[in-house]
Amino acid sequence: MEAKEIIARRVAHEVKTDMLVNLGIGLPSLVANYLPKDVHVFFQAENGVIGLGARPPEGMEDPDLTDAGGGFVTALPGAASIDSAMSFGLIRGGHLDMTVLGGLQVDARGYLANWMIPGKMVPGMGGAMDLVAGAKKVVIAMVHTAKGAHKILPECTLPLTAQRRVSLIVTEMAVIEPTEAGLVLKERHPDVSVDEVIAATGASLIMHGDVPPMQLT
Amino acid sequence: MKHACKPEQAAEMIPDGSVVLIGGFMAVGTPERIMDALVARGARNLTVVANDTAMPGKGIGKLISAGAVSRVIASHIGLNPETQQKMISGEIEVELVPQGTLVERIRAAGVGLGGVLTKTGLGTPVEDGKPTVEINGETFLLETPIRGDFALLAARQADYVGNLEYSLTAHNFNPIMALAAETVIAEPQLIVPVGVISPDSVKTPGVLVDHLIERAA
């Protein structure tokens, strides 16, 4: 199974019925493909829709109905279209139950950097800073290392996205929960040993007894 | 009652050097015919306030390509490589603002508030040079209002009072920007007789709109 699919499948278990959920573009958007059948949620796209649905069949796109990546989508029965003040009011105001975002780095404090690489990549933060500052639960979905370089570090070297501890880090190797005391290793991929996770992680990990395998079905 | 004017007439109203608030998210909900007319007029030195600069050939991307813009205040420029190149070469000055903060700074200007207090941006480069304020033991960043000389809006339909109704994710910044400029110009896809739009469907009351662009051909 590809790393992205492992991550998306595991994150899908964090989604519970009746949540309002915002999925970032790229890897996080894959989570919608792996929701358990009995889980019913509304997805928000911060450009202005609650109740986002899949891409429509070719020829049935509406030019005024896109997601935050600019791709064509549908609106499910019960959907609402909203302006940007309402959309970010929901995000900042504590009405968004969960956001899933990609990450460049996460550190031992649970702080995230995911919006710029000085001198290389300056796309703008878009809605990321509001999402991390405001969502009730922030899940980071990312590959564990960048071609071997650590992404989970004692302290982020890239500019932070927010001064807020994220709720959970899900990678293809492990599930890690940032806490006041530090990063707690909660689960590991069934084919990966605890020692391998520790070697691939730049910050120290706390373990409470055995580390169970991740649920991937 | 308002007489509908041609996009070219709107472009003539907007002098070089103006601060223009432009609706749209990745060109969805951007008044394309006004963009084309500004390019045709050879507009220069505009300050554009918008969520993003779309992509080359679409929406605000047309203004960027034409060299009409000297300053951008936006949340995201990542999908327009021309904006990034012109930022690096110094042709365009770019201020990046978190999306939720941007919409509230515009709203503050439009509704008579002296600023916005938000947690978004705390502990990040967005905080640099800005005052923080303690409210009930919590720290907030003080962000100042953003007002435009012009607001350029797209709507699904208008009536001749100037009431506007929007479509799906084409709302985005449009209803907010309608409040925050000296002169508001709206480009609807349709103009219908007064009374056709239900008062409950009006998202921007016509009193805010100064000029309507004639309906699309």
Side-chain angles (χ1 to χ4, degrees):
Chain A
M1 203 185 292
E2 216 185 326
K4 284 180 180 180
E5 184 179 337
I6 295 167
I7 297 165
R9 280 181 183 275
R10 177 56 189 83
V11 173
H13 288 289
E14 298 298 313
V15 181
K16 310 294 181 203
T17 289
D18 289 342
M19 276 184 165
L20 176 62
V21 179
N22 184 306
L23 300 178
I25 54 181
L27 200 173
S29 67
L30 302 177
V31 170
N33 301 338
Y34 300 108
L35 290 188
K37 283 210 164 37
D38 56 345
V39 169
H40 301 283
V41 294
F42 277 125
F43 287 109
Q44 178 207 32
E46 67 269 22
N47 57 316
V49 62
I50 297 168
L52 185 73
R55 193 184 172 91
E58 202 170 329
M60 293 176 71
E61 301 91 349
D62 185 318
D64 286 344
L65 185 52
T66 58
D67 62 17
F72 293 114
V73 292
T74 48
L76 299 177
S81 57
I82 54 178
D83 66 38
S84 298
M86 173 65 87
S87 190
F88 281 86
L90 294 174
I91 290 167
R92 262 192 331 265
H95 310 284
L96 180 70
D97 295 301
M98 181 166 126
T99 185
V100 183
L101 295 169
L104 294 169
Q105 296 177 339
V106 186
D107 67 25
R109 302 167 295 181
Y111 289 177
L112 168 73
N114 80 341
W115 70 282
M116 78 176 287
I117 304 172
K120 276 191 186 164
M121 187 195 84
V122 191
M125 67 293 283
M129 287 188 177
D130 299 282
L131 284 161
V132 178
K136 281 189 201 161
K137 179 169 180 169
V138 178
V139 176
I140 304 308
M142 66 177 195
V143 291
H144 204 96
T145 61
K147 292 169 187 146
H150 289 156
K151 295 179 69 171
I152 302 171
L153 302 166
E155 198 164 318
C156 289
T157 57
L158 296 171
L160 295 180
T161 306
Q163 193 171 282
R164 179 246 170 108
R165 187 163 68 223
V166 301
S167 316
L168 204 63
I169 308 163
V170 178
T171 76
E172 77 283 18
M173 298 183 81
V175 178
I176 295 169
E177 184 183 4
T179 68
E180 186 73 47
L183 302 176
V184 178
L185 179 58
K186 304 283 284 188
E187 300 168 25
R188 61 185 170 78
H189 187 278
D191 301 337
V192 173
S193 71
V194 167
D195 285 343
E196 285 172 309
V197 176
I198 290 170
T201 306
S204 46
L205 295 171
I206 300 164
M207 273 157 282
H208 302 300
D210 283 345
V211 178
M214 296 158 69
Q215 196 185 344
L216 295 173
T217 51
Chain B
M1 292 292 177
K2 293 175 179 77
H3 289 284
C5 66
K6 294 191 178 303
E8 297 74 36
Q9 292 171 287
E12 289 297 332
M13 288 177 211
I14 302 166
D16 289 352
S18 296
V19 177
V20 286
L21 315 179
I22 306 178
F25 189 113
M26 292 305 297
V28 174
T30 296
E32 290 286 348
R33 290 177 290 143
I34 303 178
M35 299 298 102
D36 291 336
L38 282 168
V39 170
R41 178 178 87 59
R44 285 292 176 270
N45 201 24
L46 299 177
T47 292
V48 168
V49 182
N51 179 60
D52 57 74
T53 57
M55 54 287 256
K58 279 196 161 183
I60 295 163
K62 295 171 182 172
L63 299 181
I64 300 290
S65 303
V69 181
S70 59
R71 187 156 180 254
V72 167
I73 302 175
S75 82
H76 200 266
I77 58 168
L79 293 171
N80 191 331
E82 288 185 7
T83 309
Q84 303 201 45
Q85 285 155 15
K86 290 182 184 213
M87 175 178 74
I88 291 162
S89 73
E91 189 184 327
I92 295 180
E93 182 193 336
V94 176
E95 180 186 347
L96 293 169
V97 180
Q99 202 168 127
T101 300
L102 182 60
V103 74
E104 287 300 327
R105 289 178 68 184
I106 296 165
R107 205 178 78 86
V111 300
L113 298 177
V116 179
L117 297 176
T118 177
K119 287 179 182 293
T120 302
L122 282 176
T124 79
V126 170
E127 186 181 331
D128 294 348
K130 291 173 187 162
T132 55
V133 179
E134 293 272 324
I135 306 282
N136 299 330
E138 290 194 278
T139 304
F140 294 87
L141 198 56
L142 174 61
E143 296 276 8
T144 53
I146 300 175
R147 172 167 278 280
D149 299 316
F150 294 85
L152 309 180
L153 314 179
R156 178 167 63 197
Q157 60 182 9
D159 62 23
Y160 287 97
V161 169
N163 290 316
L164 304 179
E165 189 182 0
Y166 302 95
S167 172
L168 297 166
T169 57
H171 285 71
N172 54 65
F173 278 63
N174 284 295
I176 314 304
M177 288 175 166
L179 290 153
E182 296 307 315
T183 302
V184 175
I185 307 175
E187 178 186 304
Q189 291 169 34
L190 282 174
I191 305 180
V192 296
V194 173
V196 168
I197 301 177
S198 158
D200 284 342
S201 299
V202 174
K203 296 281 177 67
T204 297
V207 290
L208 292 172
V209 176
D210 297 294
H211 302 282
L212 285 177
I213 303 296
E214 62 186 14
R215 66 169 74 88

